Amino acid sequence: MASSGEQALRFQVRFRKVIKSNTVERYSDPAIEASVARIEAVAHLMDDLFAVPGTKIRVGLDSIIGLVPVVGDLISQAISSYIIWEARQLGVSRFTMGRMIANSAIDTVVGIVPFAGDAFDVAFRANRKNLTLLKGHLAKHGHVRRSGAGVGPVIDVTARRVA
C-alpha cells in the first residue's frame, strides 16, 4: 500500500497531466492557428526532436546538422528563417521581428565555432525562443483564446513525504 506522501505525489502528477492535456490554446483565426501549428512543428524538429538517453537533454536537427562545419549552420539558418517568414506573414511588429532575427543570427554565428558552437546550439534553442516571441505577440494583440479544464488560476503544489 502506498503511503499518503506517495499518493499525494501521484495525484500531483495526474493533476498536471489533466491540466496540460485539457487546456486548449486556440486562435481567433483558423489561418493563424494553422500557421502557429506549422511553426511549432519546425521549432520542435529543429530544437528538441530527440532525447539524449539517460538525460533530460533534448536535441534537434539544428544541433545535428550543425555538426557539419559552416555549411550545416547555414542550412539550419535557412530552415529557421521559415519561422521568421511565417511570423512576418502574421504581422509581427518590427521590434519582435528584430528580436527573432537576432536570436537566429546569434544561433548561426556562435554555431559556426567548432564544438563550442554545437554545445551552444543545444542550450540556446533559438527556434523555441522565436516561437515564444510569436505566441507572446499573438496573445498581446488578442488573437489567443483559451478553453478547457485548465483555464483560470492554476494551483501548483509540491508534495513532500513526511516520515
Side-chain angles (χ1 to χ4, degrees), residues 140-156:
K140 180 180 176 183
H141 288 84
H143 293 291
V144 178
R145 57 175 205 249
R146 291 184 171 84
S147 62
V151 176
V154 175
I155 300 171
D156 190 11

Side-chain angles (χ1 to χ4, degrees), residues 11 23 28 30 39 70 78 84 88 98 103 108 119 136 139 143:
F11 172 76
T23 301
S28 58
I39 292 170
V70 182
I84 296 169
R88 186 69 196 136
N103 284 339
T108 301
H143 293 291

Side-chain angles (χ1 to χ4, degrees), residues 94-158:
R94 288 181 184 210
F95 179 72
T96 304
M97 284 298 290
R99 291 178 64 190
M100 293 174 82
I101 291 169
N103 284 339
S104 191
I106 289 168
D107 186 41
T108 301
V109 170
V110 176
I112 289 175
V113 178
F115 302 112
D118 298 324
F120 182 79
D121 278 341
V122 172
F124 189 63
R125 302 181 190 279
N127 299 303
R128 283 285 169 195
K129 289 179 187 293
N130 288 344
L131 175 63
T132 303
L133 286 171
L134 173 66
K135 285 185 172 184
H137 172 81
L138 293 173
K140 180 180 176 183
H141 288 84
H143 293 291
V144 178
R145 57 175 205 249
R146 291 184 171 84
S147 62
V151 176
V154 175
I155 300 171
D156 190 11
V157 298
T158 304

Side-chain angles (χ1 to χ4, degrees), residues 1-7 10:
M1 175 132 183
S3 69
S4 63
E6 290 171 347
Q7 288 174 343
R10 282 191 205 139

Side-chain angles (χ1 to χ4, degrees), residues 19 42-43 55 58 86 106 147 150 158:
I19 286 180
V42 171
T55 67
R58 298 192 62 85
E86 280 274 5
I106 289 168
S147 62
T158 304

Side-chain angles (χ1 to χ4, degrees), residues 14-56:
R14 263 195 313 253
F15 183 70
R16 285 181 184 226
K17 284 181 183 175
V18 166
I19 286 180
K20 285 184 180 179
S21 64
N22 288 341
T23 301
V24 179
E25 190 174 68
R26 301 261 182 208
Y27 295 91
S28 58
D29 183 11
I32 293 174
E33 194 164 341
S35 184
V36 170
R38 287 191 300 269
I39 292 170
E40 284 177 338
V42 171
H44 175 71
L45 179 75
M46 294 301 287
D47 285 343
D48 54 25
L49 185 61
F50 307 107
V52 176
T55 67
K56 292 184 179 183

